[in-house]
Amino acid sequence: MTGPYIAVVGGGDRLPAAQRRSAEAVGRAVAEAGAVLVCGGLGGVMEAACRGAHAGGGLTVGILPGRERGEANPHVDVAIPTGLGEARNALVVRCADAVVALAGEFGTLSEIALALQAGIPVVGLDTWELGRGGGPLPVDPVVRAGDPARAVALAVELARTARAAR
Amino acid sequence: MTGPYIAVVGGGDRLPAAQRRSAEAVGRAVAEAGAVLVCGGLGGVMEAACRGAHAGGGLTVGILPGRERGEANPHVDVAIPTGLGEARNALVVRCADAVVALAGEFGTLSEIALALQAGIPVVGLDTWELGRGGGPLPVDPVVRAGDPARAVALAVELARTARAAR
Amino acid sequence: MTGPYIAVVGGGDRLPAAQRRSAEAVGRAVAEAGAVLVCGGLGGVMEAACRGAHAGGGLTVGILPGRERGEANPHVDVAIPTGLGEARNALVVRCADAVVALAGEFGTLSEIALALQAGIPVVGLDTWELGRGGGPLPVDPVVRAGDPARAVALAVELARTARAAR
Amino acid sequence: MTGPYIAVVGGGDRLPAAQRRSAEAVGRAVAEAGAVLVCGGLGGVMEAACRGAHAGGGLTVGILPGRERGEANPHVDVAIPTGLGEARNALVVRCADAVVALAGEFGTLSEIALALQAGIPVVGLDTWELGRGGGPLPVDPVVRAGDPARAVALAVELARTARAAR
């Protein structure tokens, strides 16, 4: 696939309705931008984003922590069971040209951090905020977006720029 | 994708013409069986098999040792840069419901062994033979096939049986 | 070794003198508590902590991102070259019964997050602060310590409790 | 540790008495050569080799497939729980300057193959034989040894040569 690969990371648990709609809108926008959606392949944000990508006619890839393809959510097209446990978080991120982080727990935070460590741009929607010494960082390394459409537009733009810079 | 995932493993170097034709025929047969072709994403057997799968209208997945998507051969649809080096051999195998091994060097031998260790069926075409104490094993753990069509038919059949047994 | 394994995580770059002294004091206290010191094996906080552990008569383990044992700092006793790149961050954390995080950049943040995801206790010394929605979390998942001795005492205590709870 | 790291690979199941004595003798010789013994940390050949290394006053490292340190055999000094499943086979091998393979099943075969792929010398004691086209390879890539003392002497020698060549 020639489009960029955009990873969507976020919590795997059952979502409040508003977050589910956001994740679906992110997935749909990724598909409509002609990008491949990569994720951890499980439920919650991952499942909602894949459902949205399918509604938009896109392709979805799930990089699973366990060994069974059957643990993928039903909207994953290409399921990669790794058997690596949460060490697969690094693979989700490496596979992406940019990351959209939506809410999420510690696993999501690790993916944000691994992406930033690897120089992969991260766009955040209502997600972790990073600080030092009692306040936020002087420059936020996560690009904040106000809504799903804007988040994906930024991610696609940053993916193109990051690629060109290599 | 609902079809089985068949990994095609073999050497990454330039191939003699007969092996290249075999690998292409394997890839084409995988696609025509409705299966997803998984491989290590590089050249040689991997590239020829992906080319064949495309000729048969199939989907190809490349699980790469390095960190750059650009190292995938041009017939890989979904390229997963892992950055794991040859530790990614275990992931190629885990991702498959059955493996077809074609010729190959030590990397291919490791993939055959990792598949057998994980209980994933392996069909061999002109590939490694395993022995102990100066002779072949009493029962060959690799199912031998005489030609590409037969190799893929066996792999698809074994993939279905292995799945049903879980 | 029967003592707990304490991971010390932090930045790999050259350290300000105060942080270097803190990291050395952490390493020394880990050794004096009879614990094995685990780290990423490189420079900066990792090297200073290993130096301190040696001064305290302890054993140090370095889980390296690259493939060459020679990239370990000179105070690593057991060097494990993984070739996994930053995916090795998950291994540093999994190897530990508790983690002490000292300052650090995005790699350190990923290790804090991976530990918290895996339920491994994290003690922080002047390190990342985590927030949501413009403020810190209501309950800080990182146990804050005011000085190296206190950080290690807390980590050893939490390691014992976490083990007993399994 | 400044000595070379020698990996001892072989089956994890209960051993016939003769193989257990061989594995113990290999471990003891590794220790007496001043080398660090690396293994997969479980039972069978791994446990017997670690027991032998302890009898010889050596240090043992176990790189475990699971997440719990407790799965290590009682003669492992430094236990690294990876949670990577059999993908950890690649790490056992990468960690070594040379490999001694003793009998073993498919996991051992994968470690032999991964070592050969990575250019790490392998000495075999009554282990897998590799062939192509109905016969053994024209040149055996595994250096065969007739007894444990000779196997370890060869491995230490090859480790020194391989290191010097880098």
Side-chain angles (χ1 to χ4, degrees):
Chain A
M1 307 293 159
T2 54
Y5 286 53
I6 305 291
V8 180
V9 303
D13 294 332
R14 215 168 196 294
L15 297 177
Q19 277 185 16
R20 201 184 59 236
R21 280 192 299 268
S22 278
E24 284 181 8
V26 164
R28 183 166 195 135
V30 167
E32 288 172 352
V36 176
L37 188 149
V38 183
C39 70
L42 301 178
V45 163
M46 299 170 262
E47 180 165 0
C50 288
R51 192 186 307 113
H54 273 183
L59 183 78
T60 62
V61 177
I63 300 183
L64 298 160
R67 312 178 69 113
E68 297 296 331
R69 188 167 298 116
E71 76 183 352
N73 75 61
H75 305 286
V76 169
D77 293 317
V78 176
I80 313 279
T82 67
L84 302 179
E86 77 276 7
R88 75 79 154 84
N89 295 2
L91 270 70
V92 170
V93 154
R94 274 182 193 174
C95 190
D97 298 300
V99 173
V100 177
L102 183 67
E105 303 298 330
F106 297 127
T108 303
L109 178 61
S110 78
E111 292 168 315
I112 293 171
L114 288 162
L116 294 172
Q117 186 185 15
I120 296 167
V122 180
V123 178
L125 252 178
D126 188 25
T127 191
W128 289 93
E129 305 199 352
L130 309 176
R132 283 278 185 74
L137 297 181
V139 177
D140 191 342
V142 175
V143 180
R144 305 286 160 179
D147 63 76
R150 182 76 186 130
V152 174
L154 279 165
V156 169
E157 175 64 23
L158 291 165
R160 296 231 160 94
T161 314
R163 267 191 181 187
R166 279 191 196 157
Chain B
M1 306 294 160
T2 55
Y5 285 51
I6 305 291
V8 180
V9 302
D13 295 331
R14 216 165 195 293
L15 298 176
Q19 276 184 16
R20 200 184 59 234
R21 281 192 299 268
S22 278
E24 285 181 8
V26 164
R28 182 165 195 135
V30 167
E32 289 173 351
V36 176
L37 188 149
V38 183
C39 70
L42 302 179
V45 162
M46 299 171 261
E47 179 164 1
C50 289
R51 192 186 307 113
H54 274 183
L59 183 78
T60 61
V61 177
I63 301 182
L64 298 161
R67 311 178 71 114
E68 296 298 329
R69 186 167 298 117
E71 76 182 353
N73 74 62
H75 306 285
V76 169
D77 293 317
V78 177
I80 314 279
T82 67
L84 302 178
E86 77 277 4
R88 74 83 154 82
N89 296 2
L91 269 68
V92 171
V93 154
R94 274 182 192 173
C95 190
D97 298 301
V99 174
V100 177
L102 184 67
E105 302 298 330
F106 298 128
T108 304
L109 178 60
S110 78
E111 291 168 317
I112 293 171
L114 288 163
L116 294 171
Q117 187 186 12
I120 296 167
V122 180
V123 178
L125 252 177
D126 189 24
T127 191
W128 288 92
E129 305 199 352
L130 310 175
R132 284 276 186 75
L137 298 181
V139 178
D140 191 343
V142 174
V143 180
R144 304 286 160 179
D147 62 76
R150 181 75 186 132
V152 174
L154 279 165
V156 169
E157 174 65 23
L158 290 165
R160 296 229 160 95
T161 314
R163 267 193 180 185
R166 277 187 196 161
Chain C
M1 306 294 159
T2 54
Y5 285 52
I6 306 291
V8 180
V9 302
D13 294 333
R14 216 166 196 295
L15 297 176
Q19 277 184 16
R20 201 185 59 234
R21 281 192 298 268
S22 278
E24 283 180 8
V26 165
R28 183 166 193 134
V30 166
E32 289 172 352
V36 176
L37 188 148
V38 183
C39 69
L42 301 178
V45 163
M46 299 170 261
E47 179 164 359
C50 289
R51 193 186 306 113
H54 274 183
L59 183 78
T60 61
V61 178
I63 301 183
L64 298 161
R67 311 177 71 114
E68 296 299 328
R69 186 166 301 117
E71 76 182 354
N73 73 62
H75 305 286
V76 169
D77 294 315
V78 177
I80 314 279
T82 67
L84 302 178
E86 77 276 6
R88 76 78 156 83
N89 296 2
L91 269 69
V92 171
V93 154
R94 274 183 192 172
C95 190
D97 298 302
V99 174
V100 177
L102 184 67
E105 302 298 330
F106 297 128
T108 304
L109 178 61
S110 78
E111 291 167 318
I112 293 171
L114 288 162
L116 294 172
Q117 186 185 13
I120 296 166
V122 180
V123 179
L125 252 178
D126 188 24
T127 191
W128 289 92
E129 305 200 351
L130 308 175
R132 284 276 185 76
L137 296 182
V139 178
D140 190 342
V142 174
V143 180
R144 305 285 159 179
D147 62 76
R150 180 77 185 131
V152 173
L154 279 165
V156 168
E157 173 66 24
L158 290 165
R160 296 230 160 95
T161 315
R163 267 193 178 185
R166 279 190 195 157
Chain D
M1 306 295 158
T2 54
Y5 285 52
I6 305 291
V8 180
V9 302
D13 295 332
R14 214 166 197 295
L15 297 177
Q19 277 185 15
R20 201 184 59 235
R21 281 192 299 268
S22 279
E24 284 181 8
V26 165
R28 183 166 194 133
V30 167
E32 289 172 351
V36 176
L37 188 148
V38 183
C39 69
L42 302 177
V45 163
M46 299 170 262
E47 179 164 359
C50 288
R51 193 186 306 114
H54 274 184
L59 182 78
T60 61
V61 178
I63 301 183
L64 298 161
R67 310 178 71 112
E68 296 297 331
R69 187 166 299 116
E71 75 182 353
N73 74 61
H75 306 286
V76 169
D77 294 316
V78 177
I80 313 279
T82 67
L84 301 179
E86 76 276 7
R88 77 78 156 83
N89 296 2
L91 270 69
V92 171
V93 154
R94 274 183 193 172
C95 189
D97 297 302
V99 174
V100 177
L102 183 67
E105 303 297 330
F106 298 127
T108 304
L109 178 60
S110 77
E111 291 167 317
I112 294 171
L114 288 162
L116 294 171
Q117 185 185 13
I120 297 166
V122 180
V123 178
L125 252 177
D126 188 25
T127 191
W128 288 93
E129 305 200 351
L130 308 175
R132 283 277 185 74
L137 297 182
V139 177
D140 191 343
V142 175
V143 179
R144 305 285 160 179
D147 62 76
R150 181 77 185 128
V152 173
L154 279 165
V156 169
E157 174 65 24
L158 290 165
R160 297 230 160 94
T161 315
R163 268 191 179 187
R166 280 193 194 153

